[in-house]
């Protein structure tokens, strides 16, 4: 028995038996509260209906939604080897969205195909999404073979079909298993009704999969979720998405390129850890207290640190009701970063269930279509290709605050915008003007970046103010980001010489709450 939970997703065309299979998995592994089972049996009998495992699923789902008795532990099922979590409910309206956004990062998948109906539209669409998400551990279950007389030739015909399609999307299934979810054939024990089958049962197939732990072997990716000042320390909080971080490591932030050394790795209750690896939410402190904002990604300086890009090529699945339009402006969210982007090219638009190219050099992508696209970013963002590092190679696109699509990064390009910015250093020695602290940006027409020292923040904390003379609205945006990231307030003023802002500090520092932000949104 291991405690390494395996997260599985069960996909397939509507009515091919997903809910029934889930009920069966709970039942056959003894993971279902017996009263629940009895209750549903009784209701079915009273209503003169046949017992349906799918009702179990509905009942579990209802309870979960109402939050009554089912806690997360109970939504697991267990084999002798390990606990499992079934991610999301099939048929749920958010299902595709959750899969795409990574809110539901699965280790393995069961693709269910009705043995009497064969491969259908959603079978193909879901298979494509599995491939888009890079899921490599896939078991295909050919279901309802009881309705096909448990015939070997029927199984093989459907097996051949699904293998051919999966091959076209780059998936080699680990197993193709003949089952009947309703009758319980080949789920927990080999079925005597299909003696011709020599392969494993569905549960032993699942037990052979491993939790996706490769993330710890990839280079460090630590997207900064928040920066706190606490107990005179500047704490950079976030989740280690891949790799590991240790005190003493030399680190670099992308896209700013700032670097330092790790002083400590901390958790709220454990102030000095020797290591934090993929999946852990921690705070780190640095030897130099850098001004780094939410959205930057920390990597190890000498182990392939993340790069900033200003143009991304991507494969995208569109869920928006309104089409995705060429030259449209969207918000792209990648790890903890957000950037305004322009959809600058749609080289290919595809049908997501047949994968046929519908159009080249398209002007729009419709609901439930797939496309290869290029985004031009308003500012550099740290990204990896999905192939290099899935944790930083996946994004969602938001429209009016809602996720309307998502995809994976195929290529990251940069035009060097980041390096052109003029760095304005705000150190304690900046603050020597006789009539207060003053920075003049009125001669700076190009992009600027602020570099802030902790000493400077301390002085503002003691009630000092900083006036900044502005030339452009972009500079104002930079100041507002500075204020946002460091709990500062500012006032915008105009006088005879133009625009200026006054930056100051109010109130005590925030108490840090290190939360799990999830992989993408
Ligand atoms: P879902 O839409 O994929 O969740 O499919 P359901 O689990 O709701 O199943 C759809 C219908 O197929 C239900 O009436 C089930 O009883 C039936 N069904 C599911 N699995 C089997 C099976 O192995 N054999 C038979 N005969 N019917 C099944």
């Amino acid at each position: 028995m291991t405690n390494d939970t395996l997260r599985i997703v069960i996909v397939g065309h509507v009515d091919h038996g997903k809910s029934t299979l889930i009920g069966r998995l709970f039942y056959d592994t003894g993971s279902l509260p017996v009263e629940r089972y009895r209750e549903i049996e009784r209701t079915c009998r009273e209503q003169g209906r046949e017992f349906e495992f799918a009702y179990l699923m509905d009942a579990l789902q209802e309870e979960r939604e109402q939050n009554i008795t089912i806690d997360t532990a109970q939504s697991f099922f267990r084999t002798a080897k390990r606990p499992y979590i079934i991610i999301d409910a099939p048929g749920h309206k958010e299902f595709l969205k959750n899969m795409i956004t990574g809110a539901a990062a699965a280790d393995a998948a069961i693709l269910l195909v009705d043995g009497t109906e064969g491969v259908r539209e959603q079978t193909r669409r879901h298979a494509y999404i599995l491939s888009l998400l890079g899921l490599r551990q896939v078991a295909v279950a050919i279901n309802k073979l009881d309705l096909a007389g448990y015939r070997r030739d029927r199984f093989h015909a459907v097996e051949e079909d699904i293998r051919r399609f999966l091959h076209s999307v780059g998936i080699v299934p680990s197993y193709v298993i003949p089952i009947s979810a309703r009758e319980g054939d080949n789920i927990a024990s080999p079925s005597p009704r299909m003696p011709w089958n020599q392969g494993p049962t569905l549960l032993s197939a699942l037990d052979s999969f491993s939790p996706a732990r490769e993330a710890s072997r990839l280079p460090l990716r630590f997207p900064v979720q928040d920066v706190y000042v606490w107990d005179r320390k500047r704490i950079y909080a976030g989740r280690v998405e891949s790799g590991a971080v240790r005190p003493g490591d030399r680190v670099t932030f992308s896209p700013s390129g700032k670097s330092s050394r790790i002083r400590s790795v901390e958790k709220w209750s454990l102030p000095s850890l020797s290591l934090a690896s993929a999946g852990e939410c921690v705070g780190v402190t640095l030897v130099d207290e850098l001004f780094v904002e939410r959205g930057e990604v920390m990597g190890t300086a000498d182990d392939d640190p993340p790069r900033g890009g200003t143009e991304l090529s991507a494969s995208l699945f569109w869920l928006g009701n309104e089409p995705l339009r060429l030259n449209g402006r969207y918000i792209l969210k990648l790890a903890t970063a957000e950037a305004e982007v322009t959809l600058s090219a749609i080289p290919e638009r595809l049908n997501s269930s047949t994968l046929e190219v519908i159009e080249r050099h398209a002007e729009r992508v419709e609901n439930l279509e797939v496309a290869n696209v290029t985004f031009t970013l308003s500012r550099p963002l740290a990204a990896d290709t999905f192939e290099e590092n899935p944790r930083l190679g996946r994004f969602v696109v938001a429209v009016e605050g809602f996720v309307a699509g998502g995809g994976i990064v195929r290529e990251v390009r940069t035009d060097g915008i980041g390096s052109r910015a003029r760095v304005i250093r705000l150190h304690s020695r900046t603050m020597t003007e006789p009539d207060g602290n003053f920075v003049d940006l009125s001669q700076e027409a190009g992009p600027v970046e602020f570099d802030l020292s902790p000493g400077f923040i301390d002085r503002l904390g003691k009630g000092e103010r900083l006036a900044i003379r502005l030339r452009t609205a972009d500079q104002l945006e930079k100041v507002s980001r500075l204020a946002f990231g460091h709990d500062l307030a500012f006032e915008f003023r105009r006088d005879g010489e133009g625009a200026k802002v006054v930056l100051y500090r109010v109130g005590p520092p925030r108490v840090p709450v290190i939360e799990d932000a999830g992989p993408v949104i």
Side-chain angles (χ1 to χ4, degrees), residues 160-219:
E160 203 181 308
D161 247 18
I162 188 66
R163 278 193 189 275
R164 196 174 320 119
F165 185 77
L166 289 178
H167 179 77
S168 75
V169 298
I171 293 178
V172 179
S174 311
Y175 309 94
V176 181
I177 305 168
I179 66 162
S180 165
R182 201 169 80 173
E183 304 302 323
D185 293 289
N186 281 341
I187 308 293
S189 53
S191 168
R193 297 171 180 127
M194 291 181 271
W196 44 265
N197 173 52
Q198 302 301 314
T201 62
L202 187 60
L203 282 172
S204 52
L206 292 180
D207 276 349
S208 79
F209 289 146
S210 49
R213 289 282 177 274
E214 319 85 69
S216 337
R217 292 201 293 270
L218 292 168

Side-chain angles (χ1 to χ4, degrees), residues 294-321:
R294 173 185 169 90
E296 291 227 30
V297 180
M298 184 177 81
T300 312
D302 41 17
D303 182 19
D304 194 12
R307 285 157 295 148
T310 47
E311 201 174 83
L312 303 180
S313 295
S315 295
L316 168 140
F317 189 85
W318 189 244
L319 298 164
N321 294 326

